[in-house]
Amino acid sequence: MKWVTLWPMHAKPVPSSAPPAASSFARVSLAIYTLLIVYASWYPFSGWRDMGIKPFDYLWARLPYYWTGFDVWTNIAGYAPLGLLLVLSMYPRLRARWAIVPAIAAGVLLSACMEAGQTYLPTRVPSNLDLLTNSAGVTLGALLGAACSRYFLRESRLLLLRQRWFSGEASRGLVVAGLWPLALIYPQNHLFGLGHLVPPLSGFFSDLLDTPIDLSTAWLNNAQLSAEQYWLADIIVSACGLTGASLLALLLMRRQAPRRRLVGLYLLACIATKSLACALFFAPQNAFVWISPSAVGGIMLGAMMVAGLSWAPPIAQRRVAALALILSLVVTNVVPVNPYYISTLETWVQGKFLNFDGAAQFLSVLWPFLAIWFLYHPVHRKQR
């Protein structure tokens, strides 16, 4: 009597231990975070000139006489994530303690170059104290990354949950989706009106041609919209922005994940982040100043669109998300700036948050393009 195996002839045995894989999430996060550091360090990117000082003379200068604890802790907190991401990004080529020294060296080199570049900016002052505190932040982050790498990369319950709820190719999308709440921190003309290119481009051409240029009035020929037209534009931008970001998050999840609850928590986190930013930047009583009838209408319309499209196939969700973000970009950059938004910015005193505000503005402009890049990335063909 012969025993017949039920194992399919075409199936291949699964290896007991798969080789360690690099973290796309850590590497994409590192690239974006490095861009934010560069932008924050050289913000506002205007008035570049040679002061007759060598770029690295600050290294041998005396320590600044005036400094505050806020500046020290801000520099440490700003560079600590860089050190952590550097260590996680080197896995599996360099593991744990072997990645600490290269991560610290890379972070210190980046900080030294950022301070040297500030030599040519009249609004910034290079400082060896900043270099020391930035280096301390990188060191702290690298040590933390080495201590926690096994829990983030190999044996983490969070990693198991990510594999259970999200697709294997979702790392890039998770980075993009995680940046959306942070991109909403900077005050916008519309609630979810990210990607507003007109102000930075107007400033760039004004500095280049040494004359004030306002692109919005140039291509709109000083057109003035009525209150109803501003209201309609706000609804369109808010609804499209919410729809695009929510569908992008849905695309990352597997069918067995609690998809609707996760998207609901995602939107609540965005609203909480927006309210906290308004309270910190303006005043605590202005935490919910962003709520307006048009914003509420846009949220309701976007929520209905997401609820209906949550049952659609992934390819339809991806196309609708990209179209919604493109439409939001077009309306945001074509419609003149709301006078209420201009008066709001006039009351905003940036103060000590100048570097942070520059990075937040850069992220608010960059995010829609990152999202559209991901939605058209070839990784979706692999999933299909």
Side-chain angles (χ1 to χ4, degrees):
M1 181 176 184
K2 296 182 179 180
W3 294 93
V4 179
T5 179
L6 298 180
W7 188 269
M9 297 300 296
H10 63 275
K12 296 181 180 180
V14 179
S16 57
S17 59
S23 173
S24 299
F25 181 87
R27 294 184 175 183
V28 175
S29 300
L30 175 63
I32 296 176
Y33 198 80
T34 303
L35 286 176
L36 291 177
I37 286 179
V38 172
Y39 194 91
S41 300
W42 291 348
Y43 180 79
F45 282 87
S46 61
W48 296 86
R49 61 175 61 96
D50 188 358
M51 307 286 187
I53 304 173
K54 294 181 180 180
F56 290 97
D57 282 352
Y58 74 93
L59 291 174
W60 296 273
R62 296 180 58 183
L63 290 174
Y65 185 77
Y66 295 103
W67 57 273
T68 63
F70 178 85
D71 297 329
V72 171
W73 289 110
T74 300
N75 292 338
I76 293 175
Y79 271 77
L82 178 68
L84 186 145
L85 290 173
L86 282 167
V87 170
L88 298 182
S89 298
M90 293 180 189
Y91 180 86
R93 291 183 179 272
L94 294 176
R95 304 192 187 188
R97 63 178 183 271
W98 299 108
I100 294 177
V101 174
I104 294 175
V108 172
L109 180 61
L110 176 64
S111 175
C113 293
M114 294 300 99
E115 296 296 325
Q118 292 180 3
T119 305
Y120 303 100
L121 285 168
T123 58
R124 309 301 297 268
V125 178
S127 169
N128 47 15
L129 179 61
D130 288 347
L131 177 60
L132 291 174
T133 52
N134 293 341
S135 302
V138 169
T139 303
L140 178 63
L143 293 173
L144 183 62
C148 301
S149 61
R150 60 180 298 183
Y151 302 107
F152 281 104
L153 298 173
R154 300 193 300 273
E155 302 174 5
S156 171
R157 292 184 179 180
L158 185 63
L159 180 61
L160 295 177
L161 193 64
R162 179 247 188 265
Q163 294 172 348
R164 186 182 308 135
W165 283 357
F166 298 93
S167 64
E169 303 293 337
S171 296
R172 301 176 186 86
L174 286 172
V175 175
V176 176
L179 289 174
W180 190 51
L182 302 179
L184 296 174
I185 289 177
Y186 192 81
Q188 304 296 327
N189 188 23
H190 308 283
L191 176 57
F192 300 127
L194 303 177
H196 197 193
L197 291 169
V198 174
L201 286 179
S202 298
F204 172 77
F205 286 113
S206 297
D207 292 338
L208 183 64
L209 302 176
D210 199 20
T211 182
I213 294 178
D214 186 0
L215 294 178
S216 61
T217 57
W219 64 48
L220 292 175
N221 198 19
N222 295 320
Q224 298 293 329
L225 300 184
S226 63
E228 291 78 10
Q229 290 172 326
Y230 277 118
W231 184 80
L232 179 60
D234 198 19
I235 289 180
I236 293 174
V237 173
S238 300
C240 289
L242 186 145
T243 301
S246 301
L247 291 180
L248 186 149
L250 279 173
L251 283 168
L252 307 176
M253 303 178 195
R254 299 184 187 274
R255 289 294 179 181
Q256 64 267 28
R259 303 165 75 232
R260 292 166 186 81
R261 281 181 288 177
L262 288 177
V263 171
L265 290 174
Y266 180 53
L267 295 178
L268 287 177
C270 293
I271 291 175
T273 303
K274 183 72 173 179
S275 302
L276 180 62
C278 290
L280 290 176
F281 288 159
F282 298 100
Q285 61 270 23
N286 293 332
F288 299 100
V289 71
W290 55 269
I291 298 178
S292 63
S294 55
V296 173
I299 292 175
M300 295 177 62
L301 180 59
M304 289 188 291
M305 293 175 64
V306 173
L309 289 167
S310 63
W311 304 95
I315 188 171
Q317 293 176 346
R318 182 164 60 90
R319 291 175 177 176
V320 172
L323 289 175
L325 292 176
I326 292 173
L327 179 59
S328 176
L329 270 174
V330 171
V331 177
T332 298
N333 288 281
V334 168
V335 173
V337 178
N338 194 323
Y340 175 76
Y341 169 70
I342 298 177
S343 63
T344 300
L345 287 185
E346 291 176 350
T347 63
W348 183 19
V349 180
Q350 295 179 333
K352 296 180 178 181
F353 293 97
L354 179 63
N355 291 3
F356 178 78
D357 297 338
Q361 183 186 22
F362 175 70
L363 186 58
S364 70
V365 174
L366 180 65
W367 189 86
F369 301 97
L370 282 176
I372 294 171
W373 161 79
F374 172 74
L375 291 171
Y376 285 105
H377 196 277
V379 71
H380 299 288
R381 299 173 191 163
K382 298 180 183 179
Q383 294 176 348
R384 289 165 56 189

